[in-house]
Amino acid sequence: MRATAAVLYGPHQDLVVEEVDLQGPRAHEVLVEVVGSGICGSDLHGIEGDLRQYGFPLVLGHEVSGVVAGVGPDVATVAEGDHVLVNLMPGCGYCAPCCVGNPYRCLQTKPGLMLDGTTRMSLRGRPIYQMASIGGFADRIVVGERSCVPIRPDAPLEQMCLVSCGVVTGWSAVFHAARVPPGATAAVVGCGGVGLNVVQCLSLAHASRIVAVDVSASKLELARQFGATDVVDASAGDPVAQLLELTGGRGVDASFEVISRAATIRQAFDATRPGGTVTVVGIAAADDELTLPANLGRTVLTAGWRQVLAWRDFPILVDLYMNGKLKVDQLVSRTRELADINAGFADLRHGRVARTVLLPHG
Ligand code: COD
Ligand code: ZN
Ligand code: ZN
């Protein structure tokens, strides 16, 4: 069958939206008609050449909601018509890390490929790599059964795609990695699509002070709507000095860096009190080196997708949204057709959006 996909042929290039060949689902695989596909900072890392684990051509996209349109042999957990969120770190389920609940470290997962080492997308016989074994910038995809998490059918699928990366990444940083106790003071350096979710989850965690740091006035305004009690404009002077001033010179109990740069990780570290935690969300470029005092005095954690167990977390987050406790609609700055994907990336690059959601079927 055919699918329309946005193909990246190499770093720093525009995506080419074109028809590709899509092989039907094999055993334990599922055909999904994509409803919503969010453009995440990690996709931008892919265009900038930072995701070196993937080959080219590559279809990016990993924040996806859709409807099951068909299943291959031996699929037991989803059926045609189910509403699903795509799980970007499914793991094989059998290796040692998977068995201890750490699919992020799966020994069988091959970047850009299905578990059997092949791709379902191709063009004139040439395999196309699929980011996170998904390749979500397309109108239909074939993914592993383990990559499909069914959700309640009354939740609006267009925006629910954001739960599958941006929202759950913030949730996991606050509740699974840092385990922020009620009353803590916190700082969030970088309030894009993921950072805003760190802010709102800190609010759910009853942090007493949530300081949002960004260089964009519109992001800081959004951060206030998501629960920030204070904001720091990092383009208007040293953010560390401003953070220390806000906390009586002491620093916050818990900081989160949600940009993925050594310089801003250092800022988060310097704004954290001795004994506090510094949670680095995301993955910096391989050649970006960080210098810290050897006498750390603080716990440095890495978070993001590492602690997520999608089958546990997605239904909880969808319920929180449906019960009015989690903001998702407000994260969608705009929607676009798949054909406009490059304009969506330009918006992200220039900090004009929290999230763009692509609607490949309009
Ligand atoms: N000081 C303060 N804020 C800044 C600065 C600065 N010097 N520079 C940029 N910012 C702000 C921008 O204005 C923007 O608001 C924000 O930082 C970055 O946000 P986005 O929207 O570009 O990116 P996100 O939120 O979608 O993604 C951030 C990650 C850190 C998650 C991403 O970059 C990453 O590293 N992803 C890979 C690893 C990972 O865990 N991913 C989770 C699943 S994809
Ligand atoms: Zn993402
Ligand atoms: Zn595994």
XYZ file of all heavy atoms in Angstrom, residues 232-277:
326
model
N 11.411 34.019 34.938
C 12.706 34.670 34.755
C 12.992 34.716 33.258
O 12.988 33.681 32.591
C 13.818 33.872 35.487
C 15.196 34.272 34.986
C 13.709 34.068 36.990
N 13.201 35.929 32.748
C 13.548 36.083 31.342
C 15.066 35.963 31.210
O 15.800 36.874 31.591
C 13.061 37.448 30.841
C 13.375 37.660 29.364
O 14.107 36.819 28.778
O 12.898 38.655 28.799
N 15.509 34.815 30.649
C 16.956 34.542 30.585
C 17.666 35.463 29.603
O 18.891 35.551 29.611
C 17.190 33.080 30.205
N 16.892 36.157 28.761
C 17.553 37.082 27.823
C 17.778 38.448 28.472
O 18.412 39.319 27.894
C 16.707 37.236 26.547
O 15.477 37.857 26.851
N 17.266 38.625 29.689
C 17.389 39.922 30.366
C 18.313 39.800 31.578
O 17.921 40.086 32.709
C 16.005 40.416 30.798
N 19.521 39.306 31.352
C 20.480 39.200 32.456
C 20.640 37.775 32.939
O 19.870 36.890 32.560
N 21.650 37.573 33.777
C 22.040 36.242 34.247
C 20.872 35.532 34.952
O 20.440 35.965 36.021
C 23.228 36.405 35.204
C 23.684 35.070 35.771
O 23.212 34.031 35.270
O 24.499 35.085 36.715
N 20.373 34.425 34.370
C 19.224 33.756 34.990
C 19.556 33.157 36.356
O 18.682 33.070 37.219
C 18.848 32.660 33.982
C 20.028 32.488 33.108
C 20.775 33.777 33.099
N 20.820 32.751 36.555
C 21.189 32.153 37.846
C 21.062 33.208 38.945
O 20.476 32.949 40.010
C 22.619 31.570 37.800
C 23.020 31.028 39.164
C 22.716 30.474 36.740
N 21.593 34.390 38.673
C 21.501 35.466 39.676
C 20.031 35.753 39.986
O 19.653 35.929 41.153
C 22.194 36.715 39.148
N 19.194 35.768 38.933
C 17.769 36.056 39.156
C 17.116 34.940 39.980
O 16.300 35.208 40.867
C 17.042 36.210 37.826
C 17.540 37.386 36.978
C 16.708 37.542 35.709
O 15.536 37.863 35.756
N 17.324 37.315 34.560
N 17.488 33.680 39.686
C 16.914 32.546 40.435
C 17.360 32.566 41.896
O 16.564 32.315 42.806
C 17.323 31.223 39.786
C 16.475 30.792 38.592
C 17.198 29.751 37.745
C 15.129 30.237 39.068
N 18.627 32.895 42.110
C 19.124 32.930 43.488
C 18.446 34.063 44.258
O 18.059 33.902 45.423
C 20.647 33.088 43.502
C 21.423 31.843 43.023
C 22.914 32.128 42.940
C 21.161 30.644 43.944
N 18.253 35.177 43.585
C 17.595 36.304 44.254
C 16.168 35.932 44.671
O 15.724 36.250 45.774
C 17.576 37.506 43.310
C 17.326 38.815 44.041
C 17.179 39.973 43.065
O 17.966 40.035 42.097
O 16.241 40.771 43.280
N 15.479 35.192 43.794
C 14.090 34.792 44.089
C 13.994 33.817 45.266
O 12.927 33.644 45.850
C 13.471 34.124 42.855
C 12.924 35.046 41.768
C 12.607 34.238 40.515
C 11.676 35.766 42.263
N 15.117 33.136 45.565
C 15.079 32.127 46.636
C 15.969 32.540 47.818
O 16.537 31.680 48.501
C 15.526 30.749 46.094
O 16.783 30.915 45.409
C 14.522 30.156 45.144
N 16.086 33.814 48.024
C 16.839 34.322 49.173
C 18.296 33.908 49.151
O 18.911 33.709 50.203
N 18.847 33.714 47.949
C 20.264 33.363 47.812
C 20.542 31.877 47.972
O 21.679 31.419 47.803
N 19.523 31.099 48.282
C 19.724 29.696 48.635
C 19.706 28.763 47.424
O 20.451 27.791 47.366
C 18.598 29.327 49.611
C 18.648 27.953 50.189
C 17.638 27.876 51.341
N 17.198 26.515 51.580
C 17.924 25.590 52.176
N 19.135 25.874 52.593
N 17.436 24.380 52.372
N 18.870 29.048 46.461
C 18.682 28.117 45.331
C 17.446 27.264 45.562
O 16.950 27.149 46.683
N 16.968 26.632 44.488
C 15.740 25.836 44.587
C 16.038 24.410 45.066
O 17.164 23.942 44.981
C 14.998 25.770 43.229
C 14.478 27.141 42.820
C 15.898 25.171 42.140
N 14.998 23.738 45.545
C 15.150 22.333 45.959
C 15.333 21.414 44.739
O 16.061 20.429 44.806
C 13.888 21.854 46.708
C 13.626 22.652 47.977
O 14.606 23.036 48.648
O 12.440 22.901 48.281
N 14.608 21.731 43.682
C 14.622 20.849 42.502
C 14.660 21.699 41.237
O 13.792 22.562 41.051
C 13.372 19.967 42.491
N 15.662 21.464 40.397
C 15.684 22.179 39.116
C 15.552 21.176 37.975
O 15.871 19.987 38.118
C 16.984 22.972 38.960
O 18.076 22.090 38.864
N 15.065 21.683 36.840
C 14.867 20.857 35.642
C 15.436 21.625 34.456
O 15.080 22.782 34.258
C 13.367 20.582 35.414
C 12.760 19.770 36.519
C 12.333 20.385 37.693
C 12.650 18.388 36.405
C 11.792 19.634 38.726
C 12.102 17.636 37.438
C 11.678 18.257 38.606
N 16.293 20.985 33.686
C 16.795 21.605 32.465
C 16.103 20.936 31.298
O 16.173 19.702 31.145
C 18.314 21.441 32.363
C 18.940 22.377 31.346
C 18.972 21.840 29.911
O 18.605 20.666 29.675
O 19.366 22.601 29.024
N 15.407 21.730 30.480
C 14.573 21.139 29.432
C 14.898 21.790 28.080
O 14.002 22.179 27.328
C 13.068 21.252 29.785
C 12.278 20.138 29.091
C 12.832 21.156 31.285
N 16.196 21.934 27.819
C 16.668 22.507 26.553
C 17.674 21.558 25.892
O 17.713 21.425 24.680
C 17.330 23.883 26.793
C 16.350 24.839 27.492
C 17.788 24.493 25.467
C 16.985 26.087 28.028
N 18.493 20.909 26.710
C 19.537 19.979 26.245
C 20.801 20.703 25.799
O 21.325 20.431 24.713
C 19.076 19.091 25.083
O 17.980 18.332 25.451
N 21.267 21.647 26.611
C 22.550 22.281 26.301
C 23.381 22.365 27.572
O 22.855 22.639 28.667
C 22.339 23.702 25.777
C 21.932 23.698 24.332
C 22.030 25.079 23.718
N 20.946 25.217 22.773
C 20.098 26.221 22.737
N 20.220 27.219 23.578
N 19.129 26.236 21.859
N 24.693 22.158 27.429
C 25.580 22.162 28.595
C 25.452 23.490 29.362
O 25.389 23.489 30.601
C 27.021 21.936 28.148
N 25.391 24.594 28.639
C 25.385 25.898 29.319
C 24.159 26.045 30.220
O 24.264 26.553 31.347
C 25.410 27.020 28.287
N 23.007 25.576 29.742
C 21.795 25.741 30.549
C 21.695 24.655 31.631
O 21.098 24.878 32.681
C 20.537 25.784 29.649
O 20.663 24.804 28.603
C 20.361 27.158 29.029
N 22.328 23.505 31.410
C 22.399 22.493 32.484
C 23.210 23.087 33.643
O 22.851 22.967 34.815
C 23.035 21.181 31.972
C 22.129 20.515 30.926
C 23.291 20.214 33.141
C 22.743 19.337 30.197
N 24.290 23.768 33.294
C 25.125 24.391 34.335
C 24.319 25.464 35.096
O 24.436 25.592 36.315
C 26.385 24.981 33.686
C 27.343 25.634 34.649
C 27.947 24.593 35.595
N 28.353 25.187 36.855
C 29.605 25.288 37.276
N 30.578 24.798 36.558
N 29.879 25.837 38.441
N 23.491 26.197 34.369
C 22.659 27.205 35.048
C 21.711 26.536 36.042
O 21.549 27.006 37.169
C 21.847 28.008 34.023
C 22.678 28.967 33.189
C 21.892 29.547 32.025
O 20.701 29.283 31.847
N 22.566 30.346 31.211
N 21.078 25.447 35.608
C 20.150 24.739 36.509
C 20.901 24.250 37.741
O 20.417 24.360 38.881
C 19.492 23.568 35.772
N 22.091 23.718 37.526
C 22.920 23.210 38.636
C 23.235 24.347 39.612
O 23.062 24.213 40.836
C 24.211 22.619 38.047
C 25.115 21.995 39.066
C 25.000 20.652 39.382
C 26.081 22.753 39.710
C 25.834 20.068 40.317
C 26.917 22.184 40.651
C 26.790 20.838 40.956
N 23.674 25.480 39.079
C 24.092 26.597 39.944
C 22.914 27.225 40.695
O 23.118 27.889 41.709
C 24.803 27.671 39.109
C 26.177 27.203 38.637
O 26.742 26.286 39.276
O 26.670 27.732 37.623
N 21.704 27.012 40.180
C 20.532 27.611 40.836
C 19.878 26.651 41.820
O 18.813 26.932 42.355
C 19.515 28.030 39.778
N 20.517 25.485 42.051
C 19.954 24.473 42.961
C 20.703 24.487 44.286
O 21.927 24.572 44.315
C 20.076 23.067 42.314
O 19.457 23.123 41.031
C 19.402 22.004 43.152
N 19.966 24.397 45.368
C 20.612 24.445 46.692
C 21.434 23.178 46.932
O 21.124 22.112 46.356
C 19.549 24.587 47.786
C 18.697 23.346 47.969
C 17.948 23.356 49.281
N 16.946 22.313 49.344
C 17.190 21.036 49.664
N 18.414 20.625 49.924
N 16.201 20.165 49.717
N 22.452 23.259 47.788
C 23.175 22.043 48.151
C 22.190 21.006 48.689
O 21.290 21.336 49.466
C 24.139 22.521 49.246
C 24.311 23.981 48.976
C 22.997 24.455 48.422
N 22.330 19.764 48.243
C 21.414 18.704 48.670
C 20.184 18.570 47.798
O 19.420 17.624 47.956
N 19.995 19.518 46.882
C 18.829 19.457 46.000
C 19.066 18.525 44.816
O 20.092 17.856 44.721
N 18.081 18.467 43.927
C 18.220 17.614 42.740
C 18.191 18.453 41.462
O 17.440 19.425 41.361
C 17.084 16.569 42.636
O 15.833 17.264 42.565
C 17.077 15.615 43.807
